[in-house]
Amino acid sequence: MGSLYELKFRENNAKEILCETRLSQDQVASFRNAVIDDFYFQMYYDDDLPLWGFIGKSEEQTWMPNEEKIKYYLFKHVRFDVLYNDNQVIEISAFSDPDYTVDITEDVDMDVTFTYSVFWNATSALFETRMDRYSRAALHAINQKIHWFSFINSVVITLLLMALLTVFFMRHLKNDLRKCSSGDEEEEKEIGWKHIHGDAFSCPQNMSLFCAVLGTGTQLLTL
């Protein structure tokens, strides 16, 4: 796994010490902020099988009126459940054990012992289909709901913008038509948005000189 965890093939381990360390106040605060933000760890087994797990939990203490309303705990123990078929690993999962926690609500130095356990179980699943669970997770109902929400949100915003532009365009067009209908028919005037036609397609002054300077300048820049 490329870490301190040792998962020997088909060898169960009920409890193994990962490390013993002393957390400083800053480290405790960092872990607490990670728990508040629902952070989780992610690792990979030998052949890139991913596994995840939360690093802590929070509990609301409603029965303690004179103390903190919310307590934050750091998980100290991780359980690995591994499924194998013959000599191939099919699936691996990591679970943070809620029975092994340490209170990190307050910023105090503390000694923590991190442990883990490993349990191997046989399965009839084929090695070729082991990645199907991750494909199914990508098509989970929650993810589909989020995708549909994003799609509908984009469509609604697009329709609102189109409606707003249509209202502005029709308003200006209506004003121009009203001015044209009430003006002198013998005197043709271009008003409002019609000026764009004359500005976009009118020839510049000294057109020959302009073309010569522009062409020569382009050649000099490309040399």
Side-chain angles (χ1 to χ4, degrees), residues 172-184:
H172 287 284
L173 183 61
K174 185 178 180 181
N175 292 335
D176 289 344
L177 293 176
R178 185 184 300 111
K179 292 178 181 179
C180 290
S181 61
S182 61
D184 189 1

Side-chain angles (χ1 to χ4, degrees), residues 91-110:
E91 182 180 328
I92 181 170
S93 303
F95 303 95
S96 300
D97 196 332
D99 295 331
Y100 294 86
T101 59
V102 58
D103 192 347
I104 56 173
T105 306
E106 299 180 357
D107 294 337
V108 295
D109 296 341
M110 61 182 66

Side-chain angles (χ1 to χ4, degrees), residues 18-55:
L18 178 67
C19 67
E20 296 178 352
T21 184
R22 183 172 182 82
L23 299 179
S24 64
Q25 296 182 14
D26 293 338
Q27 291 174 325
V28 171
S30 298
F31 276 119
R32 184 174 61 253
N33 293 333
V35 173
I36 294 174
D37 295 334
D38 292 329
F39 277 30
Y40 60 89
F41 64 84
Q42 180 174 350
M43 297 182 290
Y44 292 89
Y45 193 64
D46 288 339
D47 45 3
D48 295 335
L49 277 178
L51 57 153
W52 307 269
F54 286 100
I55 65 173

Side-chain angles (χ1 to χ4, degrees), residues 7 9 21 24-25 63 82 87 101 117 143 161-162 193:
L7 277 66
F9 188 69
T21 184
S24 64
Q25 296 182 14
W63 53 275
V82 190
N87 61 344
T101 59
S117 58
N143 294 330
L161 291 176
M162 292 178 61
W193 57 273

